[in-house]
Amino acid sequence: MGAILAAPLDEADLIRTAQRGDQDAFEKLVRTYDQSVLRLAMNLLRSPDEARDVYQEAFLKVYRNLHSFRFDCSFHTWLYRIVTNVCLDHLRRRKVRKEESTVVETPDGPVDQAARLTEEGPSGNPERQAWNRELSEGIRTALDALTPRERTVFELRHYEGMRLRAIGEILGTTEEAAKNCLFRATQKMRASLETFA
Amino acid sequence: MKCAEIIDQFSFYSYGEVSSELEERIESHLAECAACRLEFARHQAFMDSLDQRGELNEGALLISCRADLRRRLTAQPAGSQRWTGLLASLRDFSHFHIPLRVPVGAMALLALGWFGARYTPEKFGGMRAGLAQPMFSNVQSIQQGDSGKVQIAVDEVQRRVVTGDLTEPRIQQLLLDAVRDESNPGVRVESIGALKNSAESEEVRRALIDAVSHDPNAGVRLKALEGLKPYAGDPSVRKTLANVLLKDENPGVRVQAIDLLTTHHDDSIVGVLQDVMQKEDDGYIRARARNLLETMKASVGTY
């Protein structure tokens, strides 16, 4: 039985099997997408704790509602609709709280916790590292200044490489609305990063 | 179309989100309008600069997220997905044809055993999640014989752990194979990381040069560049670095390439640096090339 389970399954079969309550199939579905889900949450929220919450909340929602998935859109779209809604809720709550969730005060001054998680780049000269750090900080500040919706659209288009049509589907809006949102986000980002041009 | 309208379309054009008709109009406008060409170059530089945000490494977090999720799924009340699944399995099972001559008691025992194994929690010896198993199998063909037996051809991959010193040829060979594993960039990064201190070997250096030139993953290319650092004076390495500097699409990789290339000042890089001044969008790389050309008392442009 293990051998048969280990054979590659078509995603639709996997979903149907998971819908019948098969834990293994559900776990396989999770593992197909969870790394990109976590990366999206991390990049949108820049907070490991919040990203962890999004991961749990989103996949538990998927688990509880998988029976209602009717294949009228791709599973990827359905999943990302859930994930982006959970992320948007977090971003909106953060705006209300007006918190800088990733920046903590330390005796040495404010430290961005998310920046600590950034992959260590190759060793290079200090001048370049300083330039990169400054630019990286500028980008994060510019992204933080966007509205939650603009931020999400920009993240999905620029960093995740999704098509505007798919983004519209995920956010339950039209391609045109997603396009307008991207336009506003790009204009704001460019204005914020003018000093690095 | 007016210049302002064209400029408004730049981000969609860069993302390939415009119709082919609009794309043609933008391109023909750019071919004729120097001001818009300049503006587009600025836009592209802005887009490239966004790659400097820094990728977050979610690896360790992912493992703990998966463990938490598994715990929370196990704690889900019956009646959610698992209970629905059990009912569905029972429903499916009732569709099976049961020959009357098979004793009903034996079938009941079989069913009890199957469901017992399937739904007993892991701590009581129940079935482990499939993905944790070390063996992967794939059914390649199925043949039904006259006797009612079925012949199934199964490809099986058994995982085993190989331990050894980095200098051992069999370990190096495994790592060199892993560098070429197209399906897994993580494995390629790790194997290059392990090999990078063995670049005195011609074969390892060739593998690093190959990875720098052809690997589709920028992280792997960067790791391979690190390994080539002590050999930045080697002519074949320098040739590769010059190519990367002029052609690699990732600004981070180009930055690393110019840093390595300029650890040795020789006249052969002047032409490359002048090319950089003409073609490069990244402000840091251009500034670095300019500084070096000035240091070497070479002209910044080609005439």
Side-chain angles (χ1 to χ4, degrees), chain B residues 119-168:
Chain B
Y119 292 99
T120 304
E122 201 177 304
K123 62 180 173 180
F124 298 121
M127 209 172 82
R128 284 172 57 80
L131 286 184
Q133 292 174 355
M135 195 175 75
F136 302 95
S137 310
N138 200 6
V139 174
Q140 286 301 325
S141 66
I142 299 169
Q143 269 189 323
Q144 287 200 5
D146 294 338
S147 60
K149 289 196 173 169
V150 182
Q151 199 175 46
I152 304 170
V154 186
D155 286 349
E156 290 185 345
V157 178
Q158 182 73 47
R159 181 175 299 167
R160 69 189 170 101
V161 176
V162 179
T163 313
D165 197 275
L166 279 168
T167 52
E168 286 177 45

Side-chain angles (χ1 to χ4, degrees), chain A residues 18 20 27 34 128 157-158, chain B residues 17 70 81 85 255 259:
Chain A
R20 287 198 294 269
E27 191 166 333
D34 68 344
R128 189 191 84 210
R157 179 55 266 198
H158 187 84
Chain B
E17 293 273 10
R70 189 177 287 182
Q81 189 77 359
V255 165
D259 282 350

Side-chain angles (χ1 to χ4, degrees), chain B residues 201-238:
Chain B
S201 144
E202 186 65 27
E203 199 179 357
V204 170
R205 206 179 315 162
R206 256 205 318 273
L208 294 179
I209 286 175
D210 197 45
V212 166
S213 308
H214 304 298
D215 198 288
N217 184 294
V220 177
R221 298 200 298 277
L222 280 169
K223 202 77 177 172
L225 278 173
E226 267 185 74
L228 291 174
K229 201 171 182 177
Y231 303 93
D234 179 291
S236 61
V237 173
R238 292 185 75 69

Side-chain angles (χ1 to χ4, degrees), chain A residues 8-177:
Chain A
L9 280 173
D10 174 50
E11 184 175 272
D13 288 341
L14 203 57
I15 294 165
R16 285 192 193 94
T17 313
Q19 281 177 326
R20 287 198 294 269
D22 189 303
Q23 291 279 66
D24 295 339
F26 183 74
E27 191 166 333
K28 276 187 185 176
L29 262 184
V30 169
R31 291 201 178 198
T32 307
Y33 293 103
D34 68 344
Q35 192 166 5
S36 53
V37 164
L38 187 62
R39 193 184 58 229
L40 175 66
M42 286 273 274
N43 284 327
L44 271 175
L45 301 162
R46 309 297 290 188
S47 155
D49 289 341
E50 281 190 272
R52 178 195 294 273
D53 289 347
V54 167
Y55 180 100
Q56 302 299 331
E57 210 176 321
F59 281 114
L60 284 172
K61 279 188 178 177
V62 170
Y63 184 75
R64 289 183 194 125
N65 296 290
L66 192 61
H67 64 278
S68 66
F69 178 67
R70 295 279 176 262
F71 295 91
D72 43 15
C73 63
S74 73
F75 180 74
H76 175 269
T77 300
W78 188 73
L79 169 66
Y80 267 64
R81 199 174 288 160
I82 292 173
V83 174
T84 49
N85 276 336
V86 177
C87 285
L88 278 168
D89 285 347
H90 276 256
L91 284 168
R92 284 177 189 131
R93 279 203 291 271
R94 188 189 287 178
K95 285 268 176 200
V96 172
R97 291 199 306 266
K98 288 187 170 38
E99 273 182 10
E100 285 287 343
S101 74
T102 62
V103 179
V104 291
E105 285 299 329
T106 71
D108 302 324
V111 171
D112 188 346
Q113 287 177 302
R116 287 178 171 179
L117 289 161
T118 305
E119 278 179 355
E120 226 177 82
S123 55
N125 67 44
E127 192 191 342
R128 189 191 84 210
Q129 283 173 349
W131 166 283
N132 286 349
R133 261 201 308 276
E134 221 173 292
L135 179 56
S136 171
E137 188 51 47
I139 294 167
R140 280 200 287 272
T141 309
L143 285 167
D144 281 344
L146 301 179
T147 67
R149 207 172 174 77
E150 287 165 356
R151 172 86 192 259
T152 306
V153 169
F154 192 80
E155 185 73 34
L156 293 175
R157 179 55 266 198
H158 187 84
Y159 291 108
E160 294 288 319
M162 283 187 196
R163 308 293 300 174
L164 281 169
R165 181 192 294 258
I167 296 170
E169 267 185 60
I170 286 168
L171 296 177
T173 185
T174 60
E175 183 181 350
E176 200 53 34

